[in-house]
């Protein structure tokens, strides 16, 4: 129980920011491409309360952590009407990429925080743990949402890139997207995807901050 409370304290803020930025970025980009649905629903805000789903954001992740030690959760569904966009098939990809892109940016911010905590010799362990949790959470959320399966951001990008006939055949799988996701989880396929996408993203982040690290050492 003590470990659960400690992990909740460390991960609470990073998870809230990660989910909020992901959804707010997608709502904002959807608005820029002509769909005002998410904005009208108040989802372009950075207020976490507008994005949190009590079951998906709190209950399910805690239960999964306690039972299978694999954390999965979700925010409130983001209302997007692709039919209102100027070029729905193309614009869908930009909206989908906005969420993982926001998480990559948040991961960079948390990494920078960790660098400055080290530079200023902050001895308290808690801020270091939170910064590390922020980096890991955002990389995990980015990689998870980039899964190229229907209903996920990666699936929408794939739909946008496929030729029209293949794209609409792929879209017919969307009602089974959650079943496909569960199958990939229990077959441990997702673990490999998350690992390799996370490794590549982490490498890119460290290449970005290399000049700063060089100046501070």
């Amino acid at each position: 129980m003590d470990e659960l409370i400690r992990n909740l304290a460390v991960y609470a803020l990073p998870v809230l920011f990660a989910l909020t930025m992901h959804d707010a970025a997608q709502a904002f980009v959807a608005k820029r491409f002509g769909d005002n649905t998410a904005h009208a629903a108040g989802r372009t805000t950075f207020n976490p309360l507008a994005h949190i789903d009590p079951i998906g954001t709190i209950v399910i992740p805690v239960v999964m952590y306690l039972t299978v030690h694999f954390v999965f959760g979700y925010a409130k569904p983001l209302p997007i009407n692709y039919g209102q966009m100027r070029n729905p098939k193309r614009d869908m990809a930009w909206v989908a990429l906005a969420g993982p892109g926001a998480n990559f940016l948040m991961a960079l911010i948390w990494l920078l925080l960790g660098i400055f905590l080290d530079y200023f010799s902050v001895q308290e362990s808690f801020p270091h743990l939170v910064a590390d949790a922020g980096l890991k959470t955002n990389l995990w959320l980015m990689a998870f949402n980039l899964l190229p399966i229907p209903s996920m951001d990666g699936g929408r990008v794939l739909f946008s890139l496929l030729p029209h006939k293949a794209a609409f055949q792929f879209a017919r799988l969307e009602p089974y997207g959650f079943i496909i996701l569960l199958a990939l989880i229990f077959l441990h396929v997702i673990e490999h995807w998350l690992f390799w996408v996370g490794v590549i993203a982490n490498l890119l982040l460290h290449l970005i901050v290399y000049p700063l690290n060089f100046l501070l050492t």
Side-chain angles (χ1 to χ4, degrees), residues 49-116:
L49 295 178
H51 304 279
I52 291 174
D53 181 278
I55 301 298
T57 312
I58 301 173
V59 176
I60 289 178
V62 171
V63 170
M64 291 192 70
Y65 177 81
L66 291 173
T67 55
V68 297
H69 302 290
F70 179 86
V71 178
F72 169 75
Y74 53 87
K76 289 180 183 177
L78 192 65
I80 293 179
N81 185 351
Y82 294 105
Q84 292 187 8
M85 296 180 185
R86 291 181 286 275
N87 187 331
K89 189 171 182 291
R90 181 203 63 193
D91 298 343
M92 178 185 295
W94 293 113
V95 174
L97 287 171
N103 291 129
F104 185 83
L105 179 60
M106 285 294 295
L108 175 61
I109 293 172
W110 286 111
L111 178 59
L112 290 171
L113 175 61
I115 290 172
F116 283 114

Side-chain angles (χ1 to χ4, degrees), residues 142-143 189-203:
M142 181 197 71
V189 174
I190 283 184
E191 293 177 14
H192 298 288
W193 172 269
L194 296 179
F195 174 77
W196 286 109
V197 174
V199 165
I200 294 170
N202 198 37
L203 176 61

Side-chain angles (χ1 to χ4, degrees), residues 5-27:
I5 294 174
R6 178 179 62 82
N7 285 336
L8 286 176
V10 168
Y11 278 89
L13 193 62
V15 168
L16 285 178
F17 274 129
L19 291 173
T20 297
M21 293 296 293
H22 183 101
D23 280 10
Q26 290 187 326

Side-chain angles (χ1 to χ4, degrees), residues 117-192:
L117 287 172
D118 288 334
Y119 179 73
F120 290 107
S121 302
V122 176
Q123 300 299 317
E124 175 60 44
S125 64
F126 184 75
H128 289 275
L129 291 173
V130 172
D132 185 60
L135 174 64
K136 291 178 179 177
T137 297
N138 280 279
L139 289 181
W140 184 93
L141 190 62
M142 181 197 71
F144 182 76
N145 278 279
L146 285 175
L147 280 164
I149 61 177
S151 77
M152 303 293 290
D153 292 332
R156 302 200 187 284
V157 174
L158 181 58
F159 174 87
S160 182
L161 294 175
L162 287 171
H164 285 285
K165 185 177 180 180
F168 287 103
Q169 288 177 339
F170 177 73
R172 295 175 65 182
L173 295 173
E174 185 153 346
Y176 312 102
F178 188 67
I179 297 174
I180 296 172
L181 177 61
L182 289 178
L184 293 177
I185 291 174
F186 286 108
L187 291 173
H188 304 287
V189 174
I190 283 184
E191 293 177 14
H192 298 288

Side-chain angles (χ1 to χ4, degrees), residues 198-209:
V199 165
I200 294 170
N202 198 37
L203 176 61
L204 288 175
L205 287 172
H206 281 84
L207 287 174
I208 292 171
V209 302

